Amino acid sequence: MNLKGLAKNRLPGHVAIIMDGNGRWARLRGKGRIEGHRRGRASVRTVVEMSRRLGIPYLSLYAFSTENWLRPKEEVHALMDLLEHYLAVEQPKMMRHGIRLLAIGDKSRLPDAVLRTLEHAVRATQHNTGMTVVLALSYSGRDDIARMVQGIARKVRDGACAVEDINEEMISGHMETKSIPDPDLLIRTSGEMRISNFFLWQIPYTELYITSTLWPDFREAEYLEALLEFQRRRRRFGRTDEQIGEPLRSVGRSQ
Ligand code: FPP
């Protein structure tokens, strides 16, 4: 991998990706949407592998949103098949490379076979310490927030805490991402300028990188460019330029 000036000591601690444009990639080539997802899976392999080799500790991938359940039955089915196959094939590789897999989202909606394969991979990799891949599956940022509110409300109702105890740290600790630092960099492919109900609470000072590249074309060179752009940014977290010495990682619970 030619790293072309990437500073290894200033990499993001957590990269999150909204993988978009599989359908357009396929349409442009006169192929079916599912072929686009298949090629998108190869990009998933690329970014996981490259993150691991670079030593990026956390990578979150928005693989399926709650809204994606509304897609045609055949496409949902094909995506679930791809996912199951990916998890089955990649699990031994994750073990070899010390990758820990986490899944966030409403897993109760996943087909049994996918859920079984997913739970197996999460369990098998739980003690790996190399890097963490977070798969957002049937995930919705708003749903995550709603469940956080329910969790805290229950504690208040049961007398486990007072309303006045509720603070940012407590809220973060009740989100699905409680064990994960806030993303430093959020990448979105295919040029759309929106968050699409992915991380909402978790991205107050995350650097956004939006590229017109379609997800199946997002490979080593494109990922490297995103990381280089991240390193060109000056993160001030609300402070002035003069107050900032070295570029910083995320606020909050980041490591
Ligand atoms: C968005 O493209 C992509 C998805 C909804 C699914 C992402 C899935 C993969 C990359 C493949 C399998 C995933 C894993 C983790 C192995 P789109 O269909 O919305 O594209 P469009 O906007 O061009 O129609």
Side-chain angles (χ1 to χ4, degrees):
M1 172 166 44
N2 174 8
L3 295 180
K4 274 199 309 197
L6 193 68
K8 292 273 282 192
N9 60 344
R10 288 199 289 115
L11 287 166
H14 180 182
V15 177
I17 309 184
I18 301 174
M19 310 180 287
D20 193 17
N22 295 350
R24 273 161 283 175
W25 183 94
R27 199 171 56 239
L28 283 168
R29 286 159 183 79
K31 296 177 191 287
R33 298 179 54 81
I34 290 156
E35 184 54 25
H37 296 314
R38 229 174 260 135
R39 295 297 282 254
R41 181 177 53 180
S43 297
V44 170
R45 290 201 171 100
T46 300
V47 292
V48 171
E49 174 61 12
M50 198 165 149
S51 303
R52 181 189 70 77
R53 275 157 53 202
L54 287 169
I56 291 171
Y58 290 89
L59 174 69
S60 295
L61 301 168
Y62 199 16
F64 197 87
S65 69
T66 29
E67 292 76 19
N68 286 154
W69 290 115
L70 300 170
R71 292 196 174 194
K73 228 176 37 257
E74 308 72 51
E75 185 172 343
V76 170
H77 192 77
L79 275 167
M80 290 297 140
D81 271 357
L82 278 176
L83 199 65
E84 188 189 340
H85 185 254
Y86 171 83
L87 291 167
V89 168
E90 295 300 303
Q91 192 192 308
K93 216 195 284 174
M94 289 182 189
M95 292 309 292
R96 265 200 315 282
H97 292 143
I99 296 174
R100 177 173 69 133
L101 181 74
L102 292 180
I104 56 172
D106 183 3
K107 292 183 268 295
S108 71
R109 295 184 73 179
L110 297 173
D112 282 349
V114 177
L115 186 60
R116 265 198 310 275
T117 316
L118 180 68
E119 284 179 338
H120 190 260
V122 169
R123 219 177 13 253
T125 63
Q126 65 183 324
H127 299 300
N128 290 346
T129 55
M131 79 172 279
T132 301
V133 172
V134 182
L135 275 189
L137 288 173
S138 191
Y139 182 81
S140 145
R142 282 196 157 186
D143 185 53
D144 199 358
I145 290 172
R147 289 205 244 183
M148 170 274 292
V149 173
Q150 288 175 3
I152 295 180
R154 265 193 296 271
K155 285 195 174 156
V156 172
R157 182 197 60 196
D158 298 345
C161 74
V163 168
E164 295 70 27
D165 294 335
I166 300 170
N167 57 24
E168 291 187 16
E169 197 186 344
M170 185 175 189
I171 291 174
S172 293
H174 284 76
M175 306 291 296
E176 281 224 76
T177 47
K178 56 179 172 287
S179 61
I180 307 165
D182 289 341
D184 296 293
L185 172 64
L186 173 64
I187 298 172
R188 179 170 188 142
T189 58
S190 96
E192 311 290 353
M193 302 285 178
R194 52 180 173 261
I195 301 297
S196 298
N197 209 2
F198 191 25
F199 291 146
L200 300 177
W201 168 260
Q202 297 86 346
I203 57 169
Y205 277 103
T206 299
E207 293 296 322
L208 306 180
Y209 177 84
I210 294 167
T211 170
S212 56
T213 302
L214 304 175
W215 178 247
D217 291 328
F218 192 88
R219 298 294 165 93
E220 279 207 1
E222 289 73 24
Y223 192 23
L224 178 62
E225 184 45 43
L227 294 171
L228 286 167
E229 169 60 21
F230 172 77
Q231 296 193 335
R232 287 192 285 268
R233 304 269 177 95
R234 199 154 168 79
R235 304 184 77 191
R236 297 201 306 262
F237 300 104
R239 284 173 281 174
T240 67
D241 261 338
E242 293 69 33
Q243 290 174 300
I244 308 295
E246 279 298 291
L248 299 170
R249 283 187 174 178
S250 225
V251 282
R253 292 155 305 104
S254 53
Q255 34 163 31

